Amino acid sequence: MSPASDATTTLLILGASGDLTQRLLLPGLGSLLAVETDRSVHVVGADRADMSQQEWADTVRTALTSTGAPDEAVEAIVAGTEYIKADLMVPEELDALLTQVGDPVVLYFALPPAVSVQVCELLETRGVSEQTRLALEKPFGTDLPSAQALNVQVLKVVDENRVHRIDHFLGLSTVLNLLGVRFANRLLQPVWTSEHIEKVVISYDEDLALEGRAGYYDKAGALVDMIQSHLLQVLAFFAMEAPGSITEDEVRSVKADVLRATAVWGGDPRSASRRARYTAGTIGARAVPDYTSEEGVDPALDTETLAEMVVEIDTDRWRGTPFVLRSGKALGEKSKKIEVIFKEPDRVPSGLHGKDVPDSLVLDLKPAAMVVSLSINAEGDPFDLEQKELVATLADSRMLPYGEVLGRILDGDPLLSIRGDVAEDCWRIVEPVLGAWRADEVPMQEYAAGSSVPDGWGAIPAKR
Ligand code: NDP
């Protein structure tokens, strides 16, 4: 193995022949290198699969090149990379691997969640160097107790600021852009409160169906797959107080404050949540089978493919504003955005006509864009108002979200990583909904694949 220079970080990928490594992690690294061409990373892959050094080098080269890393940077990584076959649940093999790779190292867990837990237990016994950092993929547990147990276990291996719980939504340009939009614009700063905002809808509607992911998705469902993790992170960025500076301790602290104050709207998951599952239909020209007939789906699990929950944030800034979080698959139109609906003015002077739609601001997550809708006179009678859109198309992300997050991890900066208490809070917030669904207190609705979100969704229930 070629020795790593002082400025080089070693990225040791555990689970190197898996889907995440090949489809997201290595392409993310490629997009990072496309921007930061002189970044020096020593990539080592470990897995129990048989793979020759040549096959591994080709895998790395193809993935890095696919996302624009320049040839020179790719070849520098390929020249130093190595694949090590190891069963990571065998203490001697794990020990030999870590000894061979040396320090400083980022241990990237691209392993099945249950294997990651067991490897963490072995790392506690073996011990790791003070420079070691752990990068953990979601899911962080499967409920609040298991998330707490995982955090306890991980902290027996390294300190919290050396744990990187990954959520690539924190690398989305629109999410990162929220900091500038919110805190650097006098126009928006004062209206970002419940006094001025009627409601906020954060949605991630996909036009893709299951696409062969039953193994994971059928056990998770839309609520856990998207809302419990990604959309709550977006909510935290949207609603947090201004950090003193853009540093990991300040930003992660104000994010945690928001989520600690977040709970199901009115405390009643029966009225504040909805679930549905797609039936057979067509999306564009594609015929999609009924969800329960998709390969690998167990109908007895009663998994939802569309979920919505309304939450409230009990802080002086947000008390009274409902936040609707929604995500689903196999919908007719994809729509991935944050919609901010403003309250009507206290009074519109008589003699002005046409003010019949509230003002709004929409932040599109993919592709990144910002649309402000205002009531203005566009033509004709100067006192006749109509809704006009001011559209800002935002630059494409400078790199893939995985690249943005990975860059911070390699630098040892947890700014874009999820803190342990936040990972637990995200389970605490959704658990009442999961409980109500398990008890069948919320009916499972149906929608045909390729159709819209069912009527009535997005409505805010009256508090009892
Ligand atoms: P895969 O099953 O595709 O990959 C895991 C890899 O780890 C496999 O190559 C597997 O080998 C290997 N492995 C399992 N046990 C051991 C062991 N004891 N020693 C050495 N290698 C072992 O999973 P994914 O890549 O899909 O997921 C990895 C992680 O990323 C999971 O935590 C998942 O939740 C998370 N994730 C995945 C996403 C995705 O789109 N794939 C998206 C977001 C998060 P083998 O095949 O022999 O079992």
Side-chain angles (χ1 to χ4, degrees):
M1 196 180 310
S2 41
S5 77
D6 284 352
T8 303
T9 310
T10 299
L11 175 64
L12 172 52
I13 305 173
L14 308 178
S17 84
D19 179 66
L20 178 100
T21 302
Q22 315 221 1
R23 214 168 43 80
L24 295 171
L25 179 57
L26 289 174
L29 177 61
S31 76
L32 173 66
L33 292 167
V35 176
E36 299 177 13
T37 50
D38 54 358
R39 188 182 268 279
S40 179
V41 191
H42 177 215
V43 179
V44 182
D47 199 293
R48 62 182 175 188
D50 282 318
M51 201 184 323
S52 69
Q53 298 302 337
Q54 189 59 50
E55 280 172 313
W56 171 245
D58 289 346
T59 300
V60 173
R61 181 183 288 110
T62 306
L64 299 186
T65 308
S66 72
T67 43
D71 289 348
E72 206 179 321
V74 173
E75 291 312 320
I77 291 202
V78 169
T81 197
E82 178 160 6
Y83 178 76
I84 301 172
K85 183 180 171 186
D87 185 334
L88 303 164
M89 296 220 276
V90 176
E92 296 74 25
E93 295 195 26
L94 180 66
D95 179 52
L97 171 72
L98 296 179
T99 305
Q100 184 176 348
V101 172
D103 294 322
V105 67
V106 173
L107 281 180
Y108 199 108
F109 286 73
L111 293 165
V115 179
S116 293
V117 172
Q118 293 187 42
V119 171
C120 274
E121 286 167 9
L122 294 179
L123 289 177
E124 178 199 349
T125 309
R126 179 198 183 268
V128 296
S129 79
E130 276 192 4
Q131 290 87 35
T132 301
R133 302 195 285 279
L134 307 187
L136 297 171
E137 276 291 341
K138 74 163 199 169
F140 315 117
T142 50
D143 53 16
L144 180 55
S146 59
Q148 289 167 328
L150 179 60
N151 279 340
V152 168
Q153 182 56 47
V154 165
L155 295 184
K156 287 178 182 167
V157 183
V158 294
D159 294 340
E160 175 61 38
N161 64 1
R162 294 189 168 274
V163 183
H164 298 270
R165 294 175 196 79
I166 291 150
D167 189 322
H168 69 281
F169 270 50
L170 297 182
L172 282 172
S173 60
T174 302
V175 175
L176 296 171
N177 217 345
L178 274 168
L179 292 168
V181 166
R182 288 196 53 197
F183 301 124
N185 289 293
R186 187 65 188 233
L187 188 70
L188 294 177
Q189 229 177 2
V191 295
W192 220 259
T193 74
S194 59
E195 195 188 338
H196 300 286
I197 293 181
E198 180 72 29
K199 81 170 174 181
V200 179
V201 182
I202 303 176
S203 56
Y204 201 87
D205 299 338
E206 299 181 77
D207 60 356
L208 295 174
L210 196 55
E211 317 294 327
R213 282 185 71 214
Y216 159 73
Y217 190 85
D218 198 37
K219 293 190 187 66
L223 182 71
V224 165
D225 181 40
M226 291 302 303
I227 295 178
Q228 186 273 341
S229 47
H230 306 309
L231 298 194
L232 283 174
Q233 295 302 314
V234 178
L235 172 80
F237 258 77
F238 179 92
M240 69 192 188
E241 295 299 315
S245 59
I246 307 298
T247 53
E248 71 81 11
D249 53 339
E250 300 213 30
V251 171
R252 298 207 305 168
S253 164
V254 286
K255 264 183 71 197
D257 291 344
V258 168
L259 291 171
R260 206 175 307 117
T262 301
V264 173
W265 176 257
D268 184 2
R270 290 164 304 171
S271 60
S273 72
R274 298 177 177 93
R275 58 178 175 151
R277 186 163 49 212
Y278 67 78
T279 54
T282 50
I283 307 175
R286 276 183 301 137
V288 175
D290 191 282
Y291 176 75
T292 53
S293 316
E294 294 262 26
E295 198 184 335
V297 166
D298 177 1
L301 290 177
D302 212 19
T303 302
E304 82 288 354
T305 58
L306 177 63
E308 178 175 279
M309 72 182 283
V310 186
V311 298
E312 56 191 340
I313 303 172
D314 189 21
T315 60
D316 289 349
R317 178 183 293 277
W318 291 119
R319 200 164 295 120
T321 296
F323 291 80
V324 180
L325 309 177
R326 184 189 71 234
S327 182
K329 286 191 176 296
L331 289 155
E333 259 181 59
K334 51 181 171 184
S335 164
K336 301 167 180 183
K337 61 190 176 194
I338 308 168
E339 292 170 83
V340 187
I341 318 293
F342 289 94
K343 290 187 171 166
E344 295 290 14
D346 291 339
R347 173 181 166 270
V348 176
S350 61
L352 279 176
H353 311 287
K355 174 63 186 167
D356 42 19
V357 185
D359 304 337
S360 66
L361 182 151
V362 175
L363 292 151
D364 278 310
L365 295 168
K366 278 184 183 177
M370 184 165 136
V371 181
V372 179
S373 298
L374 297 175
S375 300
I376 45 183
N377 166 246
E379 54 187 5
D381 180 345
F383 303 130
D384 222 356
L385 306 178
E386 56 187 289
Q387 204 71 9
K388 280 280 163 194
E389 292 187 344
L390 315 179
V391 182
T393 309
L394 307 179
D396 269 351
S397 301
R398 59 186 194 135
M399 61 182 80
L400 291 176
Y402 255 94
E404 202 75 63
V405 171
L406 185 60
R408 295 279 172 173
I409 297 172
L410 294 173
D411 290 340
D413 176 2
L415 175 73
L416 301 183
S417 304
I418 296 176
R419 218 169 62 185
D421 55 334
V422 164
E424 293 177 17
D425 249 330
C426 289
W427 282 114
R428 197 252 323 138
I429 293 165
V430 301
E431 288 226 316
V433 174
L434 289 169
W437 291 6
R438 273 194 297 270
D440 224 3
E441 293 171 351
V442 176
M444 178 72 85
Q445 303 178 31
E446 291 186 337
Y447 61 103
S451 63
S452 325
V453 172
D455 287 346
W457 285 50
I460 308 303
K463 288 194 183 180
R464 295 174 194 204

